[in-house]
Amino acid sequence: MIVWINGAFSAGKTSAARELLDLIPNSTLYDPEVIGAGLDLLLPQKRLAEIGDFQDLPIWRRLVVDTAAALLAEVGGVLVVPMTLLRQEYRDEIFGGLAARRIPVRHVLLAPDETILRERISNREEFGCDPERSESVRRWAYEHIDPYRAARDWITADAYVVDNSASGPRETARLIAEAIGSGAAAACEIVQTPEPTAETLAAGVLLFDEQDRVLLVDPTYKPGWEFPGGVVEAGEAPARAGMREVAEEIGITLERVPSLLVVDWEPPAPPGYGGLRLLFDGGRLDSAGAGQILLPGSELRGWRFVTEEEAERLLPPTRFERLRWALRARERGTVLNLEAGVPVG
């Protein structure tokens, strides 16, 4: 299990985490900042200059998950993780990766009053650092108050909130331990999708509204929007798999078997294995049909109909290319064969 302590910079996460080790048996402190420090030494300066925060590095987010899994395999018990996460898509990627490894996460937010938070920042001194370094850290913390304030809505909807305005580290740790023990800080309800161990066959279904906009869904367990669909199970017909996924994901029962639009071979890109990706035309949903959409909260947080231009901003590039060619195939009444998103043959 992981106890992930979130909050603004200087909210008291690390000091509370250290105290929590005495209150949760067989617990280990795991600070993902050490991964960022390691990447400072490993990555070329040119790559580091392209990002403003090590959290923006996909390799950091992957290593946070992989290291947590390796640590738990080595020491067992509970990992206590004091780490600020303000971008929801990064939370999705990290917590989704942990869920795929069957590692439950108890998400806790330390939420002192902003006046108290600013006072703590102003009094912050970096151990072993010169005044210039301490001032730099304080400035960084002040600059991230607004992003923290903007992220509070999604964090408080997901995490157990502890107001530690008047609590020191020991008392804060006691409040967290009580919430964990009582179940008040429950495991995050994020879908647990096992990572593939070989190439996979996946089927997605495109559904359209009366304006020919396409339906996209927003998964909780990975970054970026997606089409309804999923992995085809052993012995299952791909089109039927798409129909099953549509029913499971958005509560819509398709009355006819959808027609194939594209077959796309996705090459392996470690740590992914790639495989075949099929997109089907599921037809139109009128306003009454769209009104019946029902999302499983543990897997999808939202849906919307979008134009092709809007889809380009929401979808990862590989998915958008797949969609783009699927729309061309639909216009032409044909099926297209793609390799890595590029038509062949």
Side-chain angles (χ1 to χ4, degrees):
M1 180 178 76
I2 286 178
V3 178
W4 192 291
I5 304 177
N6 203 350
F9 296 100
S10 297
K13 301 182 298 298
T14 301
S15 55
R18 292 196 179 105
E19 296 287 348
L20 194 58
L21 299 182
D22 292 334
L23 303 177
I24 298 181
N26 194 21
S27 57
T28 302
L29 182 69
Y30 167 39
D31 189 347
E33 281 201 15
V34 301
I35 296 174
L39 291 174
D40 273 341
L41 301 174
L42 294 171
L43 290 176
Q45 287 302 310
K46 179 181 178 181
R47 179 68 182 104
L48 293 171
E50 294 171 354
I51 55 101
D53 188 324
F54 55 73
Q55 291 195 9
D56 297 330
L57 292 166
I59 188 176
W60 179 83
R61 303 192 295 274
R62 288 197 299 270
L63 285 174
V64 166
V65 174
D66 292 342
T67 305
L71 265 175
L72 284 172
E74 186 73 23
V75 302
V78 177
L79 295 185
V80 179
V81 183
M83 190 73 227
T84 299
L85 275 180
L86 301 184
R87 293 188 59 169
Q88 192 171 18
E89 64 269 31
Y90 292 174
R91 172 267 187 197
D92 293 346
E93 186 175 351
I94 293 171
F95 285 19
L98 293 167
R101 290 162 171 79
R102 300 295 189 261
I103 301 172
V105 179
R106 310 293 181 97
H107 190 191
V108 176
L109 173 69
L110 297 190
D113 181 82
E114 187 171 321
T115 302
I116 301 297
L117 178 64
R118 289 181 178 274
E119 182 181 344
R120 291 177 182 174
I121 294 173
S122 68
N123 294 328
R124 181 165 179 166
E125 296 289 342
E126 294 304 297
F127 179 76
C129 291
D130 58 28
E132 186 177 342
R133 170 62 178 163
S134 293
E135 179 58 30
S136 174
V137 171
R138 286 194 290 269
R139 187 165 56 250
W140 170 271
Y142 281 127
E143 289 172 352
H144 283 76
I145 289 178
D146 284 344
Y148 164 70
R149 193 185 297 123
R152 273 185 61 99
D153 283 348
W154 74 260
I155 299 176
T156 54
D158 178 77
Y160 179 82
V161 179
V162 173
D163 183 349
N164 64 329
S165 300
S167 304
R170 187 69 179 181
E171 175 63 13
T172 300
R174 186 188 65 78
L175 293 172
I176 296 172
E178 288 182 354
I180 298 295
S182 67
C188 291
E189 293 185 356
I190 192 165
V191 66
Q192 296 186 351
T193 304
E195 291 194 339
T197 57
E199 290 187 351
T200 54
L201 173 62
V205 178
L206 303 183
L207 297 165
F208 300 87
D209 68 359
E210 290 137 333
Q211 302 172 49
D212 260 356
R213 297 178 302 176
V214 66
L215 177 72
L216 298 182
V217 293
D218 186 11
T220 62
Y221 55 93
K222 62 181 176 180
W225 289 63
E226 183 60 282
F227 329 108
V231 174
V232 179
E233 297 177 356
E236 188 176 27
R240 300 286 179 177
M243 297 174 72
R244 170 182 56 77
E245 290 284 350
V246 167
E248 292 176 357
E249 290 188 351
I250 61 175
I252 299 294
T253 300
L254 297 180
E255 296 181 356
R256 64 174 182 84
V257 177
S259 55
L260 183 63
L261 292 173
V262 298
V263 178
D264 188 11
W265 175 73
E266 185 176 286
Y273 287 87
L276 285 180
R277 309 289 180 250
L278 310 181
L279 276 184
F280 294 89
D281 184 352
R284 280 194 170 86
L285 277 181
D286 57 21
S287 55
Q292 297 175 9
I293 291 177
L294 182 63
L295 300 180
S298 62
E299 187 170 350
L300 301 173
R301 76 163 63 85
W303 63 273
R304 67 174 74 168
F305 284 106
V306 299
T307 64
E308 185 173 346
E309 292 74 21
E310 292 168 332
E312 187 172 11
R313 295 194 296 270
L314 295 173
L315 291 171
T318 54
R319 287 180 218 153
F320 174 70
E321 283 303 303
R322 198 171 297 143
L323 170 66
R324 186 167 73 89
W325 287 111
L327 295 178
R328 302 294 85 77
R330 183 171 180 259
E331 292 167 356
R332 302 169 190 171
T334 189
V335 177
L336 291 176
N337 179 37
L338 314 179
E339 291 181 1
V342 179
V344 295

